[in-house]
Amino acid sequence: MSDHKETFITKYIFSQDHKMIAKQYLITGIIMAVIGGLMSMLFRLQLAYPEQKFTILEAFLGKEGMTPDMYMGLVTIHGTIMVFFVLTAGLSGTFSNLLIPLQIGARDMASGFLNMLSYWLFFLSSVLMVISIFVHTGMASAGWTIYPPLSVLPQAMSGSGLGMDLWLISMAIFIAASLLGSLNYIVTVLNLRTKGMKMTRLPLTIWAFFITAIIGVVSFPVLLSAALLLIFDRSFGTSFYLSDIFIQGEVLHYQGGSPILFEHLFWFLGHPEVYIILLPALGIISEVIATNSRKPIFGYRAMIGSIMAIAFLSTIVWGHHMFVTGMNPFLGSVFTFTTLLIAIPSAVKAFNYITTLWKGNLQLNPGMLFSIGMVSVFISGGLTGLILGDSALDINVHDTMFVVAHFHLVMGVAALLGMFAGVYHWFPKMYGKMMNKNLGYLHFWTTIVTAYGVFYPMHFIGLAGLPRRYFNNTAFPLFDDLLEINIVITWFAIIGGLAQLIFLGNFFMSIFFGKKTVQNPWRSNTLEWTTPIEHFHGNWYGDIPEVHRWPYDYSKVDENGDYYQGEDFTPQTVPIREGEEEF
Amino acid sequence: MTAILYILVFTIIAIGSWQAVKIFGLLKSNEIATEKENNINGWLMLGIMAFLYSLMIFSFYKYSKVLLPQLAASEEGLHIDKLFKITFILIFIVQFITQFLIFYFTFKYRGKDKSYKATFLTDNHKLEFFWTIIPAIVFSGLIIYGLWTWNLVTDITNKEDNPIYIELYSKQFQWEARYAGKDNILGEANIRNIKGINTMGVDMSDKNSQDDKAVLHEIYLPKGRKVVFQIRSQDVIHSAYMPHFRAQMNCVPGMKTYMGFTPSVTTEEMRNNEDTKIKVTNINKIRAVNSKKLIANGEDALEPYIFDYLLLCNKICGSSHYSMQMKIVVVEESEYNKWIASKKTLAQVIN
């Protein structure tokens, strides 16, 4: 496999090599993140300085400056891009592709062609999504949840015209891409593990990617069907989601549908989506924390059990997004029950990370700091889920800024920190170079401080009763006193946004000018560090190494108190010694 | 011109970051963290903990005055607030402890010299059992108490309450309301009946509709009497949100939704509430400053803010979503009766 001829096009563009595809996903994800991030800066400025006309932003906003329609469009596309294009495709796409074959000991994905197709469909959907921002009637602006009838009727909102069409087509293609990728991950993990790589010897990264792919396959098709029905309602006059509508002096023909149906279908993906984003990030930090603590991950089996429990429960909690849609209170009770259940495996995971740190020999490189930061943010954001998941308490904070603060911390910032941890940790594997560490530190410190600075005060705005997606909060006096908090938040956001330039600079400079890496820079146990530094299709010269132990034998000592191998790590390829106890 | 400015700014940033990378790149750094790096970052992690704690304390100290008045304005709201307080205290304790452990462990076990060995610890079933079972017990308690509260606040079928029925009707970007009138039954309605001043599409052939009373701009609620809202929408999904009463329900076109509560604090009483007074004074201070600016620009000053309950729209519904609201006035029942008697019935207005 390694000796076939590669041209520029097959190597860099239509590559079937999982490592190249991973890099393509990462770069596309970064570009989308920059777009989504810049959008958030624009609407944060609007929230902090609603009266101000920023002439300097005319190039982005046009002569009129920020209008309510544009504000809605920005929050909608910001959400869509960040949730799907950055934290789903950018995160899972990058690290599942890079790590699954390398860590299980396979030469490539089960189907290199499908993998390539998956990336290019994702690329196409990204291009369409970006184009949709610039259409004349405005970008899709019904919120990233695109609830009908708002998203169906151009009369209700100008963004529900061509912009919405492009949004839906883009998402349909995105889902196809995601499904191709997920199927490939599942098949690869099940079939292509190297000799000795039992399921119980898989690194937690692979477990997380594997289970994530299964959730994706289960739930994404439902969003696709929801989107298709929405397209029918929009373009072909069906009434799946609409009934009894009177708008602009006119009764529309729709009869018999229900917007609630859409909400159910949407959140059947929408909630598992949270875990599609989170689990890979948690998988990444499991690996990074264990490696840099020089200590096994605590409770490996409990971690796998928790991942599975979370995955299962995630598919039966979607109704907690709909407590105030008029659903039967009994049904609400059921969803409250399942939602609070999911807190148990999440708590177990958090405790396990903390215990992994305990009595470790922590090597605080940037990847490790981002991982620890993620645990902190995951807990801070996760805890407020106890309020939102409890139907009675949700009534008063539902759809307020409190929700925005909650999910940005628990899945937005947390997953982003996990993604950064992954980039810093596996950059040497991807590019054969080291990223600059001091810039990495600077990046971490500014990011964690500003992330908390943005989202911690935001809880208070929500508890004051301010609904989300408000163009400004001074239309009536009730929320006048929230402006000063909004200004604080916006400044933290701007500084946090600028801090990401450090990362971008570091990332792209290091690709070209970074210091050359050694084969196993973090002294890690997993298989990817047994491959040569330079990339070629097929991963290993000669035979694929055999695996003899689990991946977390860090600081393992024999009966004399000496390290096995004389080092504080024992790679998976090292055979079990006589008399040694295998985990 | 602006394009050139942008290119210039971009180039400066690019050059700047390149220089930064070069300068930092000169500092030699090992592959895994050095002892010095571990030390510095270990201490900085403690700094983060301090930052996080002070952010929490600062926010509570500085921002608690912007929160909704502590006193819920409905009987159901009092139950919700009690549950909220318990949950919040729990969250606060867990947050305090876990964050401490994360950052303290990071500091305490920051990498030391090579001779230090990390402890090889794979699992501990006793420990794991405890931290699975303890959250399970705590969450069970929360679930049971939460569901009890939920069933209490969502129960609108109890006839003994003798509730008043009111319809809330939403459209882009306005609220309307309809009182059930003497028979306390709301007449049938459908958007297909909308015509002229019958803006809610009430079916005037229904005998129950005749005594219904439509109101705009503000609704009155009696203190101490259960109110049940029937909620409709004519165009897109809205959400009827009354934060002071801890009440919210979506308005879904094509179907009716319901919610109910018993107002327990009149508007007048809420205006005299301590929390409300602090909040209102604060807002008026801000408005006074803004007024000065406006007057300097030759515009009219802002009117001083007087507290009122509001019904807000809390579901994205279009470009003026942010200004869609209606005033709610809670009064003693006798005053309410006077007010409702002064309104004309639909039969008088439409026919």
Side-chain angles (χ1 to χ4, degrees):
Chain A
M1 222 173 150
S2 50
D3 51 20
H4 68 136
K5 274 240 166 359
E6 281 177 326
T7 63
F8 179 80
I9 287 182
T10 61
K11 188 162 180 203
Y12 291 104
I13 300 172
F14 293 108
S15 172
Q16 299 190 15
D17 183 353
H18 70 101
K19 299 186 290 298
M20 181 52 71
I21 294 173
K23 287 192 248 181
Q24 290 172 329
Y25 264 111
L26 181 58
I27 303 280
T28 317
I30 288 177
I31 292 169
M32 294 305 272
V34 169
I35 297 171
L38 282 176
M39 290 180 141
S40 70
M41 296 299 135
L42 294 178
F43 61 71
R44 275 314 322 174
L45 278 177
Q46 160 64 24
L47 287 175
Y49 303 102
E51 309 295 327
Q52 199 95 18
K53 290 261 176 292
F54 293 96
T55 39
I56 193 155
L57 294 176
E58 257 177 29
F60 294 108
L61 300 174
K63 283 265 178 290
E64 291 158 63
M66 182 76 79
T67 61
D69 276 324
M70 185 177 291
Y71 176 85
M72 301 287 198
L74 288 174
V75 293
T76 301
I77 303 292
H78 166 77
T80 310
I81 285 182
M82 286 308 193
V83 168
F84 293 110
F85 291 80
V86 179
L87 293 176
T88 304
L91 175 62
S92 247
T94 304
F95 291 102
S96 296
N97 269 309
L98 179 73
L99 295 178
I100 288 179
L102 285 174
Q103 289 196 332
I104 68 172
R107 297 215 182 267
D108 201 335
M109 285 287 178
S111 168
F113 178 75
L114 280 189
N115 210 14
M116 177 187 80
L117 197 62
S118 161
Y119 170 73
W120 283 102
L121 285 177
F122 164 61
F123 181 79
L124 180 65
S125 75
S126 307
V127 170
L128 278 176
M129 189 57 77
V130 173
I131 288 174
S132 86
I133 300 170
F134 299 102
V135 298
H136 178 65
T137 51
M139 53 195 132
S141 42
W144 79 280
T145 53
I146 54 155
Y147 282 178
L150 190 58
S151 59
V152 172
L153 307 172
Q155 303 97 307
M157 187 176 230
S158 69
S160 297
L162 182 61
M164 196 65 222
D165 283 322
L166 286 172
W167 193 98
L168 286 165
I169 295 167
S170 165
M171 277 312 296
I173 298 172
F174 177 91
I175 293 166
S178 162
L179 288 175
L180 289 180
S182 297
L183 286 172
N184 224 343
Y185 306 150
I186 296 171
V187 173
T188 309
V189 172
L190 287 178
N191 291 313
L192 296 185
R193 280 166 289 128
T194 184
K195 196 170 172 211
M197 183 63 93
K198 297 189 260 185
M199 289 303 270
T200 48
R201 284 180 183 164
L202 285 177
L204 285 173
T205 35
I206 304 300
W207 267 109
F209 298 148
F210 176 61
I211 302 282
T212 302
I214 294 175
I215 317 178
V217 170
V218 169
S219 57
F220 259 121
V222 179
L223 181 64
L224 182 64
S225 56
L228 286 179
L229 298 186
L230 197 64
I231 291 174
F232 286 159
D233 274 8
R234 286 171 53 79
S235 309
F236 306 117
T238 56
S239 307
F240 289 106
Y241 302 135
L242 279 69
S243 190
D244 294 328
I245 288 172
F246 180 94
I247 194 162
Q248 292 185 350
E250 186 185 7
V251 177
L252 303 185
H253 71 274
Y254 300 104
Q255 184 75 60
S258 168
I260 303 297
L261 169 65
F262 177 85
E263 295 187 21
H264 278 293
L265 293 175
F266 181 88
W267 287 115
F268 188 82
L269 161 90
H271 197 80
E273 174 65 23
V274 171
Y275 294 96
I276 291 175
I277 288 171
L278 254 182
L279 287 179
L282 288 170
I284 287 170
I285 68 160
S286 305
E287 185 66 25
V288 176
I289 286 182
T291 306
N292 290 308
S293 299
R294 316 308 297 164
K295 227 185 130 214
I297 192 83
F298 184 82
Y300 175 77
R301 292 196 185 98
M303 286 299 226
I304 297 172
S306 301
I307 293 174
M308 287 176 168
I310 289 174
F312 171 71
L313 288 171
S314 78
T315 58
I316 52 168
V317 298
W318 79 90
H320 67 220
H321 297 270
M322 301 167 60
F323 285 141
V324 296
T325 54
M327 64 158 60
N328 186 318
F330 175 72
L331 192 57
S333 312
V334 175
F335 281 119
T336 299
F337 178 69
T338 52
T339 302
L340 292 194
L341 273 190
I342 216 169
I344 298 171
S346 310
V348 168
K349 278 185 90 69
F351 291 141
N352 283 353
Y353 288 124
I354 295 173
T355 318
T356 306
L357 298 177
W358 182 68
K359 287 200 170 178
N361 185 13
L362 309 188
Q363 304 302 316
L364 299 175
N365 52 37
M368 179 67 166
L369 290 181
F370 273 104
S371 303
I372 297 171
M374 179 184 174
V375 180
S376 163
V377 171
F378 176 63
I379 293 175
S380 298
L383 281 171
T384 46
L386 291 178
I387 290 175
L388 292 161
D390 198 332
S391 50
L393 296 180
D394 180 64
I395 295 172
N396 209 46
V397 283
H398 186 93
D399 258 334
T400 64
M401 291 303 278
F402 189 83
V403 180
V404 178
H406 159 76
F407 74 73
H408 271 90
L409 275 184
V410 76
M411 66 175 257
V413 177
L416 213 52
L417 294 186
M419 187 166 167
F420 283 134
V423 171
Y424 281 101
H425 192 79
W426 279 290
F427 189 85
K429 193 72 257 166
M430 279 193 259
Y431 294 100
K433 305 273 176 65
M434 300 299 291
M435 277 177 87
N436 183 287
K437 222 195 264 171
N438 290 323
L439 286 175
Y441 287 134
L442 194 60
H443 177 215
F444 172 73
W445 294 115
T446 40
T447 303
I448 188 88
V449 168
T450 51
Y452 269 124
V454 169
F455 295 112
Y456 200 80
M458 200 181 276
H459 289 96
F460 289 82
I461 297 188
L463 290 177
L466 182 68
R468 68 194 283 201
R469 293 168 181 146
Y470 261 30
F471 168 64
N472 75 47
N473 54 354
T474 48
F476 41 89
L478 180 63
F479 299 127
D480 271 0
D481 49 350
L482 302 182
L483 200 62
E484 56 168 326
I485 310 183
N486 264 331
I487 292 172
V488 173
I489 293 177
T490 296
W491 277 103
F492 270 117
I494 290 171
I495 298 166
L498 288 175
Q500 305 317 306
L501 292 177
I502 305 171
F503 170 76
L504 290 178
N506 193 357
F507 182 85
F508 287 108
M509 290 301 180
S510 300
I511 291 178
F512 299 107
F513 308 113
K515 213 168 78 178
K516 281 231 156 42
T517 177
V518 292
Q519 196 184 14
N520 189 357
W522 315 117
R523 300 149 62 77
S524 174
N525 283 340
T526 37
L527 280 186
E528 75 270 29
W529 304 107
T530 61
T531 60
I533 296 166
E534 72 274 13
H535 283 189
F536 60 92
H537 202 169
N539 296 341
W540 283 271
Y541 294 114
D543 290 339
I544 300 175
E546 216 174 289
V547 167
H548 300 282
R549 56 177 75 232
W550 76 323
Y552 296 111
D553 275 341
Y554 291 103
S555 300
K556 193 174 188 183
V557 287
D558 58 18
E559 56 275 16
N560 303 327
D562 295 328
Y563 288 132
Y564 285 80
Q565 301 281 312
E567 294 272 11
D568 63 351
F569 66 113
T570 322
Q572 285 188 278
T573 48
V574 176
I576 299 280
R577 276 211 290 196
E578 217 171 300
E580 182 189 348
E581 216 172 294
E582 198 203 344
F583 175 72
Chain B
M1 201 47 215
T2 40
I4 296 172
L5 186 70
Y6 279 118
I7 294 169
L8 205 68
V9 169
F10 184 78
T11 329
I12 290 170
I13 290 174
I15 293 173
S17 42
W18 184 39
Q19 286 300 322
V21 171
K22 274 181 80 176
I23 293 163
F24 279 103
L26 288 177
L27 302 165
K28 279 257 169 5
S29 59
N30 253 350
E31 257 61 89
I32 304 195
T34 59
E35 217 178 307
K36 193 175 146 207
E37 284 167 338
N38 284 334
N39 228 339
I40 293 172
N41 287 291
W43 279 100
L44 281 172
M45 274 309 219
L46 271 195
I48 282 287
M49 183 170 79
F51 169 75
L52 186 55
Y53 283 166
S54 25
L55 186 66
M56 290 199 283
I57 293 162
F58 172 83
S59 298
F60 272 98
Y61 170 73
K62 185 96 194 291
Y63 299 147
S64 48
K65 68 171 185 280
V66 308
L67 302 183
L68 291 167
Q70 293 272 308
L71 176 66
S74 71
E75 281 168 20
E76 290 75 3
L78 295 176
H79 289 287
I80 290 181
D81 281 1
K82 207 188 256 170
L83 175 65
F84 186 88
K85 261 187 204 129
I86 292 171
T87 313
F88 211 82
I89 289 168
L90 178 80
I91 288 175
F92 214 73
I93 294 170
V94 177
Q95 165 80 348
F96 233 86
I97 296 173
T98 47
Q99 298 294 345
F100 172 79
L101 292 178
I102 292 170
F103 291 111
Y104 178 70
F105 283 173
T106 308
F107 167 73
K108 172 104 195 279
Y109 300 108
R110 64 190 188 279
K112 299 174 190 90
D113 58 274
K114 277 223 149 181
S115 59
Y116 180 82
K117 283 195 177 83
T119 309
F120 185 82
L121 175 70
T122 55
D123 46 13
N124 180 334
H125 294 300
K126 217 187 245 171
L127 209 57
E128 287 172 77
F129 176 77
F130 273 119
W131 69 45
T132 311
I133 208 73
I134 289 176
I137 292 168
V138 173
F139 294 146
S140 304
L142 273 187
I143 289 172
I144 291 165
Y145 188 28
L147 291 184
W148 178 80
T149 312
W150 170 246
N151 285 327
L152 191 90
V153 301
T154 53
D155 180 22
I156 48 168
T157 51
N158 191 350
K159 287 274 181 262
E160 276 171 28
D161 294 334
N162 186 23
I164 300 174
Y165 288 94
I166 305 174
E167 178 175 82
L168 290 177
Y169 186 79
S170 58
K171 58 179 157 187
Q172 286 182 329
F173 302 95
Q174 196 184 357
W175 293 100
E176 291 179 34
R178 176 163 64 120
Y179 284 73
K182 245 194 193 102
D183 60 1
N184 206 14
I185 300 172
L186 285 162
E188 285 302 316
N190 184 287
I191 51 105
R192 286 176 169 73
N193 303 323
I194 294 175
K195 201 177 157 195
I197 53 168
N198 186 358
T199 50
M200 284 183 267
V202 180
D203 180 0
M204 290 312 290
S205 63
D206 183 353
K207 69 174 189 338
N208 295 329
S209 307
Q210 307 304 320
D211 63 344
D212 291 358
K213 294 179 171 183
V215 297
L216 271 174
H217 309 307
E218 60 181 14
I219 52 173
Y220 272 58
L221 304 177
K223 178 183 167 181
R225 175 99 182 263
K226 180 116 180 175
V227 195
V228 169
F229 294 97
Q230 167 183 307
I231 302 169
R232 288 165 58 220
S233 167
Q234 74 170 32
D235 39 35
V236 299
I237 302 178
H238 303 270
S239 186
Y241 179 39
M242 308 178 182
H244 301 97
F245 301 92
R246 319 292 189 246
Q248 174 165 212
M249 182 54 71
N250 285 359
C251 321
V252 186
M255 66 187 259
K256 293 169 188 161
T257 53
Y258 299 89
M259 71 170 174
F261 57 79
T262 314
S264 55
V265 184
T266 65
T267 300
E268 212 45 55
E269 285 164 353
M270 192 54 103
R271 281 178 186 161
N272 293 323
N273 174 278
E274 274 311 307
D275 292 341
T276 319
K277 275 192 197 156
I278 294 172
K279 190 172 161 81
V280 169
T281 320
N282 186 27
I283 289 177
N284 275 328
K285 256 187 229 154
I286 295 166
R287 287 174 81 79
V289 174
N290 291 345
S291 288
K292 256 185 213 152
K293 278 185 218 149
L294 286 176
I295 292 166
N297 291 340
E299 291 172 62
D300 293 336
L302 298 168
E303 278 172 32
Y305 170 55
I306 301 164
F307 175 83
D308 267 309
Y309 295 124
L310 282 185
L311 162 62
L312 306 172
C313 177
N314 195 11
K315 182 64 80 187
I316 181 170
C317 65
S319 53
S320 294
H321 170 54
Y322 67 100
S323 58
M324 180 172 164
Q325 33 101 14
M326 180 160 77
K327 192 162 116 181
I328 304 170
V329 184
V330 179
V331 290
E332 297 293 343
E333 191 158 358
S334 56
E335 200 179 327
Y336 164 81
N337 289 336
K338 255 186 260 163
W339 175 83
I340 193 75
S342 74
K343 298 285 164 190
K344 286 190 177 134
T345 64
L346 283 181
Q348 290 167 322
V349 176
I350 293 174
N351 294 339

